[in-house]
Amino acid sequence: MIERLAKYRWQYVMILPGAILLLLFSYIPMVGIQVAFKDFHIGSTMWSSEWVGLENFSFLQDEQFWIVVKNTIYIAILKFVFGFPAPIMLALLINEVKNNKYKRFVQSVSYLPHFFSWIVVAYILQSLLTLDGGLVNQLIEKFGGDSVFFLGSTEWFRPMIVVSGLWKEVGWNTILYLAAITTIDPQLYEAARVEGAGRLAQIRNITLPGIMPTISIVLILSMPGLIAVGMDQIYPLMNPANQPVADVLDTYILRNGLQQGYFGMATAVGLLSSVISLILVLCTNQMARKFNGEGLW
Amino acid sequence: MRSSVRERVGQTIIVFLLALLCISVIYPFLYMLAVSLNVGSDAAKGGVYLWPREFTLYNYEVVLGNSVIQHAYLITISRTIVGTFVGLLITLLAAYGLSYRSLPFRKSLLGYVLITMLFSGGLIPLYIQLHHLSLLNSFWVYIIPSAFSAWNMFVMMKFIQGIPEALIESAEIDGANPVRILFVIIMPLSKPMLAAIGLFTAVGHWNDWFSGAFYVSDQSLIPVQTFLQQLLSAQDISTVLGSNNNQEALARGTMLSNVTLMSIKMATVMVSALPILCVYPFLQKYFVKGVLIGSVKG
């Protein structure tokens, strides 16, 4: 055994830095979850602070917390309902374009927003929607309407999050579908045309079934990220005016933990959301086994 | 004949819809560009849609001349270069080591990596750990915690396993050790994968505002995106410019009254987005390849 280990000594040396980083930044924080049951203050260590039982879980009685849960679920569902089918439809549309140059142009342009940070997207929204000189409000006023404070309104917040999410990622998410479409046998389309199938019939009977495996994989892979509805997207756009609908689990943890120093309580909330996403991952893997005969691991 | 008319109508509708999508992507940038190139006080009156009405480069002079922004740029560029290099190296080393199918304890080691993808301690325990390691308020908080990516490691490992084993075996017979094999055989063959993953890592570093906002309180360490994040909700211009010699220059000049918060914001965000806009056309094929490599396992 020792001989075999020695034979692979270089491999172990190469794996070591990565393994140490995982230990430091993934495993020790997992042990750090005990802070959820402790009275922790910055300055003390997670070992030295005192156990307080379930005291940190008192947020469960906090009305605000349940609003946050509701917001999280609401936004997660909205983003999924609009965000999941959109790239499939876009891929089908792009695939129908006959001019190859135009096709490539559309693809390049639609991928672009994926490479900008959510901060840049927040600026784009601000520049278009703000009250003082924002483009959309200028147009509304021109046509005799009253300007709307989109960025600080509770009604417009969710549509704004959904639309900006679509705008940023829809093109990017078509890549896999478009790749899947190119692997479909062209003879199938020819045969269908001979039989007199129109474009729509071809899409329904050939293209869609052809990309079904890809659709199911993307569906499965999107499940675990479902409740991580994006501090990255929401935090920059959140302000006191829209907070009643904008506050989600991630921003709640951030505000109570890092900004106000309730480390124990914020860790407890984080623990809950980690457990929920773990359950989603495990269910997903079961689903994958059913669909594909093979799990993701 | 009839169906061909129908097809042409269909084509026109599709082309039109996709053109709308493209405009929705491109137009906001043109609009921000126009506002940033317009005299601020004039732009505030409205009516600048596509083309600056009173052209000026002054907004850019203020932004690029500001030492806070210059410093933030320096941080962003250094972390992108160092972070991408270190991240790729550490992830590649582990991927290569784990690609040996006959490695003793390979399964357990893969499990060790996989678990971190399924469950995490969450933000606060990570923050406490960064505090214990004295990484908070240090440049290295941008580099070290994210240097190993489990996801990229699996992608790289799959890719390396696709390289014919005969190549590696013949090198072993010639007496090359694994380190040599990695640098002489594996790396040249993995260029497309390294390019793609390297680009994703670099974009991730360029765009990250979170660690700058929460892991660092020293303003001299914040990257451009964090600066932008702070500026996003700023209410007056002094927040942007700070106590900076720029302000003196502004006070001296008569231009001060012509700069608005909005025009400065637009110029700043354009400055942060331009590098990506410029390299994008050249790197596009790698991006697409990267997604496809990443989805091999699916």
Side-chain angles (χ1 to χ4, degrees), chain A residues 201-269:
Chain A
Q202 288 176 34
I203 288 177
R204 202 170 44 237
N205 297 314
I206 303 173
T207 315
L208 269 182
I211 60 172
M212 224 29 181
T214 310
I215 295 181
S216 74
I217 288 171
V218 174
L219 176 69
I220 289 163
L221 286 176
S222 65
M223 283 295 143
L226 205 59
I227 66 154
V229 286
M231 172 143 54
D232 222 16
Q233 179 184 11
I234 291 174
Y235 185 82
L237 292 168
M238 197 164 99
N239 55 43
N242 60 30
Q243 194 181 332
V245 293
D247 209 7
V248 291
L249 282 172
D250 282 342
T251 50
Y252 187 76
I253 293 170
L254 207 56
R255 202 176 52 251
N256 288 295
L258 296 192
Q259 288 171 345
Q260 292 174 12
Y262 299 119
F263 286 93
M265 178 264 212
T267 309
V269 179

Side-chain angles (χ1 to χ4, degrees), chain A residues 23-220:
Chain A
L23 181 71
L24 288 178
F25 300 108
S26 293
Y27 283 98
I28 293 181
M30 284 186 212
V31 178
I33 287 179
Q34 59 179 281
V35 166
F37 307 98
K38 285 190 162 180
D39 178 28
F40 178 88
H41 299 284
I42 274 289
S44 59
T45 71
M46 67 184 177
W47 304 110
S48 67
S49 34
E50 258 177 68
W51 294 98
V52 292
L54 293 177
E55 203 174 277
N56 288 323
F57 285 81
S58 58
F59 63 82
L60 289 170
Q61 288 158 6
D62 177 13
E63 216 173 297
Q64 178 61 28
F65 174 75
W66 293 104
I67 294 173
V68 167
V69 169
K70 203 188 83 188
N71 287 341
T72 310
I73 294 172
Y74 211 142
I75 290 177
I77 290 175
L78 275 180
K79 286 192 75 167
F80 180 76
V81 166
F82 289 97
F84 184 71
I88 301 172
M89 289 192 270
L90 180 61
L92 293 176
L93 274 185
I94 291 178
N95 186 50
E96 290 300 311
V97 173
K98 284 189 183 132
N99 182 334
N100 270 324
K101 264 194 182 159
Y102 185 64
K103 199 177 195 168
R104 236 170 294 145
F105 173 76
V106 172
Q107 281 173 265
S108 314
V109 172
S110 68
Y111 301 160
L112 182 65
H114 175 78
F115 294 99
F116 290 101
S117 68
W118 277 111
I119 300 293
V120 169
V121 178
Y123 272 91
I124 291 176
L125 286 173
Q126 198 181 48
S127 75
L128 296 176
L129 301 177
T130 189
L131 278 179
D132 36 298
L135 185 72
V136 174
N137 276 323
Q138 280 181 35
L139 289 177
I140 292 178
E141 277 170 25
K142 225 171 207 175
F143 290 106
D146 289 325
S147 42
V148 181
F149 190 26
F150 291 96
L151 299 160
S153 105
T154 46
E155 298 107 72
W156 286 100
F157 186 79
R158 285 178 188 133
M160 200 169 73
I161 289 295
V162 171
V163 170
S164 62
L166 272 180
W167 181 82
K168 189 170 186 294
E169 303 296 347
V170 68
W172 185 250
N173 293 335
T174 60
I175 293 183
L176 286 181
Y177 297 122
L178 284 169
I181 289 174
T182 58
T183 62
I184 297 173
D185 186 355
Q187 283 183 343
L188 289 175
Y189 290 104
E190 270 165 45
R193 247 173 312 207
V194 171
E195 306 240 333
R199 281 271 161 198
L200 283 178
Q202 288 176 34
I203 288 177
R204 202 170 44 237
N205 297 314
I206 303 173
T207 315
L208 269 182
I211 60 172
M212 224 29 181
T214 310
I215 295 181
S216 74
I217 288 171
V218 174
L219 176 69
I220 289 163

Side-chain angles (χ1 to χ4, degrees), chain B residues 150-263:
Chain B
W151 182 263
N152 289 347
M153 198 288 290
F154 278 109
V155 171
M156 285 184 186
M157 191 185 77
K158 287 279 166 210
F159 188 92
I160 293 171
Q161 285 180 336
I163 293 172
E165 263 173 74
L167 277 175
I168 295 166
E169 274 162 23
S170 71
E172 274 171 353
I173 291 167
D174 290 343
N177 70 29
V179 181
R180 209 180 141 78
I181 294 175
L182 173 64
F183 287 104
V184 178
I185 297 174
I186 304 290
M187 279 204 3
L189 289 173
S190 310
K191 265 187 209 149
M193 176 204 69
L194 289 174
I197 293 180
L199 284 169
F200 287 132
T201 314
V203 170
H205 274 287
W206 188 272
N207 281 341
D208 171 53
W209 58 273
F210 187 86
S211 31
F214 295 104
Y215 299 154
V216 156
S217 53
D218 182 351
Q219 279 289 311
S220 69
L221 278 171
I222 63 163
V224 172
Q225 299 287 341
T226 306
F227 175 81
L228 281 174
Q229 181 254 329
Q230 293 171 354
L231 174 60
L232 186 67
S233 51
Q235 297 301 330
D236 64 290
I237 281 191
S238 67
T239 331
V240 188
L241 304 174
S243 54
N244 187 278
N245 46 12
N246 226 308
Q247 253 178 342
E248 294 166 37
L250 274 173
R252 267 187 277 115
T254 50
M255 295 293 278
L256 177 62
S257 58
N258 290 329
V259 178
T260 61
L261 186 58
M262 202 38 138
S263 65

Side-chain angles (χ1 to χ4, degrees), chain B residues 87-103:
Chain B
L88 267 185
L89 183 69
I90 290 181
T91 310
L92 176 69
L93 283 175
Y96 174 62
L98 286 167
S99 73
Y100 280 79
R101 286 174 222 267
S102 50
L103 184 77

